[in-house]
Amino acid sequence: MAFGDVLLENKAPVPTALNVEVGRAYANIRLLPNTQARTLVSLKPGQPVEAVERLADNSWVRINLPGSGETGWIKTELLHLTSDIKTLNVANATQPSYRPMQAFTFKSGADQQNCAEVPRNGLVIQTPEGAGEVHLWINQVVVKLGSTVYFQAQANGDMTVTTLEGHATVQALGTTYTAVAGTRLHIKMDADMNPISAPSLPEAYQMTDVQNLPIDHLQRAIAIHSPLTQQEVTLLQQTQQDPCAVTACNGTTDDGNSITCPGNSCHNGTNNNNGNGGNGGDNANCPGNSCHNGTNNNNGNGDKDKNKGG
């Protein structure tokens, strides 16, 4: 939801696709285009799939995984091809497959002064309930969110990521920090809206900066999280600078003191919401789509069937 003075420009390539089939043998679909990468699923011979991208040397093809909306990689030699795969876009294997408006340039105007009743300029992005984490590429900054997040960005200024509920993990120039509900972080932008600094550590926002946002128009109703206290922000910053300093949310620190996850930022040890809080073992409620699960149904220990290709 964009409001006020906002400019959006799609940066994702025009999608390409080919209908192909798995060849004569079972084929492993992998997270990355190499045989050491984790297997996502195995497909049976002759199964139709949609190819969407390829490597520059045509050795691997990225496909849409049947029924999941996710993508994976398959060796080209394991496919039965009836069309030229060179018509597919060449992919960067280190990045997710971005669809239109998943990768975009975004710029917002300066906020109006002395006009508290008018919504601020910016963009609010919300993930649907139960949708998990969404990956975006905004101004060449990788953003992973499972929540409701408010964005602002000015040329030769800052891109500000403000988490109203849930969490937003931000990666730029090799540094990654997470702004949980009740906090925000900043990335310096140049004149062309490219990042010129790593993300700042998360800090508490002011309630006056978010209280007039038009959240009533969102598809999923939320209550804006109150700003974190200074004690909560300090703990959050410590855990992100040195993850080993805290064993688990709702668990204990190394010196034996009890801790609590700030900003609905539970990190669970299992793939169930409201499950066990990692190593801490305490029950951890995870409102606002903010859970970071330690395991999921796709995790595994590699191939069980050594006869499967790829």
Side-chain angles (χ1 to χ4, degrees):
M1 178 177 63
F3 45 90
D5 182 12
V6 170
L7 176 65
L8 286 167
E9 182 180 357
N10 177 53
K11 290 296 182 181
V14 177
T16 55
L18 282 177
N19 293 321
V20 298
E21 293 181 357
V22 177
R24 296 183 178 181
Y26 279 86
N28 289 325
I29 311 303
R30 297 188 179 272
L31 180 64
L32 293 171
N34 68 75
T35 55
Q36 303 305 310
R38 177 164 61 90
T39 298
L40 302 175
V41 69
S42 292
L43 299 181
K44 63 184 181 180
Q47 182 163 349
V49 292
E50 184 179 54
V52 292
E53 291 177 315
R54 62 185 172 92
L55 292 187
D57 64 1
N58 301 318
S59 59
W60 289 76
V61 172
R62 194 190 316 242
I63 66 169
N64 287 327
L65 298 182
S68 73
E70 301 297 326
T71 62
W73 290 92
I74 182 174
K75 276 186 174 181
T76 304
E77 64 189 46
L78 299 177
L79 290 171
H80 173 63
L81 301 174
T82 58
S83 301
D84 187 359
I85 65 169
K86 292 182 180 179
T87 62
L88 297 175
N89 289 336
V90 174
N92 182 343
T94 63
Q95 292 185 352
S97 177
Y98 291 110
R99 296 179 173 87
M101 294 313 297
Q102 280 187 297
F104 58 90
T105 298
F106 157 67
K107 181 167 63 175
S108 60
D111 288 331
Q112 298 184 35
Q113 301 297 318
N114 303 318
C115 197
E117 298 303 318
V118 177
R120 306 168 75 88
N121 300 303
L123 177 71
V124 172
I125 299 177
Q126 182 182 73
T127 56
E129 189 71 41
E133 197 172 64
V134 174
H135 292 204
L136 301 171
W137 198 52
I138 306 174
N139 297 341
Q140 299 191 40
V141 173
V142 177
V143 181
K144 304 175 185 178
L145 59 89
S147 48
T148 305
V149 181
Y150 169 45
F151 294 87
Q152 290 181 299
Q154 285 87 39
N156 293 317
D158 286 355
M159 173 173 156
T160 304
V161 181
T162 302
T163 306
L164 307 179
E165 56 112 23
H167 74 274
T169 298
V170 178
Q171 179 182 352
L173 303 183
T175 298
T176 303
Y177 288 130
T178 297
V180 301
T183 68
R184 65 185 178 187
L185 54 76
H186 309 271
I187 307 100
K188 296 288 185 185
M189 296 278 118
D190 66 14
D192 297 319
M193 301 305 298
N194 299 317
I196 56 174
S197 76
S200 66
L201 282 165
E203 63 184 22
Y205 52 64
Q206 299 294 318
M207 201 65 191
T208 53
D209 291 338
V210 297
Q211 64 186 6
N212 290 324
L213 294 176
I215 61 171
D216 291 344
H217 298 283
L218 294 172
Q219 187 174 24
R220 174 168 57 82
I222 67 162
I224 295 176
H225 199 285
S226 58
L228 297 197
T229 65
Q230 185 55 54
Q231 182 179 11
E232 290 174 323
V233 169
T234 299
L235 173 60
L236 180 65
Q237 292 179 349
Q238 288 175 346
T239 57
Q240 296 198 37
Q241 289 179 300
D242 183 9
C244 295
V246 179
T247 58
C249 287
N250 296 321
T252 58
T253 61
D254 289 341
D255 59 8
N257 293 323
S258 177
I259 61 170
T260 302
C261 304
N264 299 345
S265 58
C266 304
H267 291 244
N268 287 336
T270 66
N271 63 352
N272 296 315
N273 286 355
N274 303 320
N276 290 326
N279 296 330
D282 293 340
N283 189 43
N285 291 323
C286 299
N289 295 341
S290 58
C291 300
H292 290 251
N293 297 324
T295 61
N296 57 55
N297 291 332
N298 288 330
N299 286 349
N301 296 320
D303 302 337
K304 294 182 179 179
D305 185 349
K306 296 301 182 182
N307 294 320
K308 294 174 182 177

